[in-house]
Amino acid sequence: MPAISARLLSRERLLQRRASAEAARRRAGQPHLLHYFHQVDDPYSALAAACLPALLARYDVALQAHVVGPPTDSAAPERERLVAYSRRDAQLLARRWGLDFNDPGQQPTPQRLVQTTALLVGAAQQDRFAELAGPLSTALWRGTPVELPLTPASARDVDRHLAQSAALRQRLGHYLGATFFYAGEWYWGLDRLHHLERRLQALGANRGEVRGPLFPPDADLSEAVALEAPPPIDFFFSLRSPYSAIVAPRVFELGRLTGAPVRLRYLLPMVMRGLPVPRAKRSYIAADTAREAFERGIPFGRLNDPVGRPTERGLALIPHAENQGLGQRYVLAFMHGVWAQGVDAGSDRGLRRIAEAAGLSWDGARAALQDETWRDTAERNREALFALGLWGVPSFQVGALAVWGQDRLGLVQQALLTSGVR
């Protein structure tokens, strides 16, 4: 498995696939074709739709827009929490980038959703989606009347469009809205547009002098400074979460630079808590994590999935490592071992390698494996995470801020700077 994953997730293979796709496009004399999948009641889709005109102004691409329904239950566990959090998170993103979205505290009414869906499908049919999707989404979330010269699609056309779009999204290998698909690769929301833009720029598809992406990723802790008595960072993570693995070095470094204590709030993985993770979701997460890790300069890809016994053994050693003052070093050693070196943490040989890399003695670590109290701690951490309105990892809490995702560490940094004293 480690050798296979190292090949599948390697940067070299990704670049080879991109080159092959571009060569095929040139041979066929086709334009740069960009698919966009829009979920009407998804706040992230509203943000993405607002940016379509700017994206098309920057790049010579042909856009095909597809209106889709929400993800299946298996791809969206804890749906009510997901829906509520998406609105709050989209508002944070909108404020950051100067976009128009405010969380109304509830989803649009079914009547407005039906109306807006028909209008969006009509816009796609008339090749006016990029022009009108943003204003239509803004009106939907504001609850204001639609004042656009646009004929809605018929109910029959809407049903056909939704079915065809869902089938295409599934065939291409995704499950969410606010997603872009270009030549074999997926990009979710504003957070991943920079990868798409850099790819298009490398292909020379930009119009004129285009420099940098519309939404650059967070600079690595560029504004972190030492603070006087900063609040703690609660770091909710899973040893089986690849996103947790690539953010752990950064959140620990943020704590070191600012002086903020980082509290390790470990949980059992979703699949070990009875929540399904569909194949398309697993595949996208692995590929997306590899892209993000490469950008951050974090080793990733030679993995040995620690689901089950390896994770349980790994979690059992966290309290022991913390008692030795080596909690963060141990978490980093475990993450690097299973996600970058292909270490089997389910074996004594593999776990010993991880423990000793963190500075723990194997005799002490082996004895600590018999202590099951970590299970109660993991459950309390899960309850605390749910109380924040979150359920997935990695997540962070600093004071009143509670956010989900490794790409929200910039917001954590801002929260520290505004609450701490320099």
Side-chain angles (χ1 to χ4, degrees):
M1 180 177 176
I4 294 172
S5 66
R7 171 58 182 161
L8 292 177
L9 299 176
S10 70
R11 188 70 179 180
E12 292 75 17
R13 182 173 184 270
L14 177 64
L15 296 178
Q16 289 170 1
R17 292 178 63 188
R18 288 179 177 180
S20 296
E22 176 62 7
R25 183 194 71 81
R26 288 179 178 272
R27 286 195 302 270
Q30 296 176 342
H32 296 282
L33 178 59
L34 178 63
H35 293 274
Y36 169 63
F37 293 83
H38 184 90
Q39 181 184 326
V40 182
D41 61 349
D42 170 35
Y44 300 116
S45 291
L47 298 183
C51 302
L52 290 176
L55 190 66
L56 295 184
R58 289 165 67 90
Y59 301 100
D60 181 18
V61 296
L63 180 73
Q64 284 192 5
H66 312 276
V67 182
V68 293
T72 63
D73 288 342
S74 61
E78 304 293 342
R79 188 181 296 275
E80 291 184 6
R81 288 186 172 86
L82 171 63
V83 168
Y85 177 75
S86 296
R87 293 195 307 264
R88 299 196 305 272
D89 190 45
Q91 179 172 287
L92 290 174
L93 285 178
R95 289 176 178 174
R96 177 185 178 190
W97 298 117
L99 301 174
D100 186 352
F101 184 88
N102 289 298
D103 177 10
Q106 60 186 4
Q107 292 294 100
T109 66
Q111 181 181 1
R112 286 301 302 269
L113 286 175
V114 170
Q115 176 193 39
T116 304
T117 300
L119 289 169
L120 285 167
V121 172
Q125 291 175 332
Q126 299 169 42
D127 198 24
R128 299 181 65 194
F129 191 91
E131 169 195 355
L132 299 177
L136 285 171
S137 296
T138 298
L140 172 68
W141 286 100
R142 284 183 177 176
T144 55
V146 175
E147 299 178 356
L148 294 170
L150 178 64
T151 303
S154 68
R156 182 176 181 179
D157 283 349
V158 168
D159 290 342
R160 183 187 303 113
H161 179 96
L162 291 174
Q164 291 174 345
S165 297
L168 177 62
R169 179 176 63 176
Q170 182 178 17
R171 179 169 63 82
L172 295 177
H174 218 285
Y175 51 98
L176 290 176
T179 45
F180 297 85
F181 180 83
Y182 177 75
E185 206 168 329
W186 284 96
Y187 309 86
W188 175 79
L190 304 190
D191 291 309
R192 297 298 182 269
L193 266 184
H194 62 95
H195 289 298
L196 172 62
E197 289 198 70
R198 291 193 180 107
R199 183 178 178 186
L200 292 173
Q201 290 172 21
L203 294 174
N206 46 292
R207 302 180 190 271
E209 292 295 325
V210 173
R211 296 184 181 278
L214 285 169
F215 309 105
D218 289 330
D220 273 339
L221 315 180
S222 58
E223 299 178 4
V225 294
L227 303 172
E228 183 179 335
I233 304 170
D234 279 353
F235 174 34
F236 294 89
F237 67 95
S238 158
L239 293 179
R240 202 211 173 202
S241 161
Y243 289 130
S244 294
I246 66 170
V247 81
R250 298 172 60 220
V251 68
F252 295 156
E253 179 67 2
L254 179 60
R256 186 188 69 81
L257 292 172
T258 60
V262 180
R263 299 194 293 211
L264 302 179
R265 306 297 297 270
Y266 50 87
L267 291 81
L268 279 170
M270 278 188 176
V271 71
M272 294 173 64
R273 289 185 272 138
L275 299 176
V277 182
R279 180 178 180 179
K281 187 173 183 177
R282 295 196 305 270
S283 297
Y284 174 72
I285 288 174
D288 183 53
T289 305
R291 276 190 317 213
E292 290 286 289
F294 176 82
E295 181 171 276
R296 305 291 185 184
I298 298 171
F300 178 85
R302 188 177 182 84
L303 59 90
N304 199 322
D305 187 351
V307 66
R309 172 180 164 85
T311 284
E312 292 182 331
R313 286 159 57 86
L315 289 174
L317 293 191
I318 293 181
H320 172 66
E322 288 188 294
N323 289 336
Q324 304 294 314
L326 298 172
Q328 293 184 16
R329 284 186 59 182
Y330 169 72
V331 170
L332 291 178
F334 189 96
M335 295 298 204
H336 184 70
V338 302
W339 295 108
Q341 296 179 316
V343 175
D344 176 13
S347 69
D348 281 353
R349 179 181 179 182
L351 192 58
R352 177 173 184 169
R353 176 178 171 182
I354 291 170
E356 291 181 344
L360 298 172
S361 75
W362 177 237
D363 287 342
R366 185 166 51 186
L369 289 174
Q370 309 307 313
D371 188 349
E372 294 277 306
T373 57
W374 65 267
R375 295 185 185 275
D376 293 335
T377 304
E379 175 59 18
R380 288 195 298 271
N381 291 338
R382 185 197 66 80
E383 292 172 352
L385 185 66
F386 275 44
L388 295 172
L390 303 175
W391 67 101
V393 294
S395 288
F396 311 92
Q397 181 186 16
V398 176
L401 177 74
V403 290
W404 172 33
Q406 60 94 19
D407 26 39
R408 296 295 178 266
L409 196 60
L411 295 177
V412 175
Q413 179 174 269
Q414 291 176 16
L416 287 174
L417 292 176
T418 56
S419 60
V421 179
R422 302 191 185 196

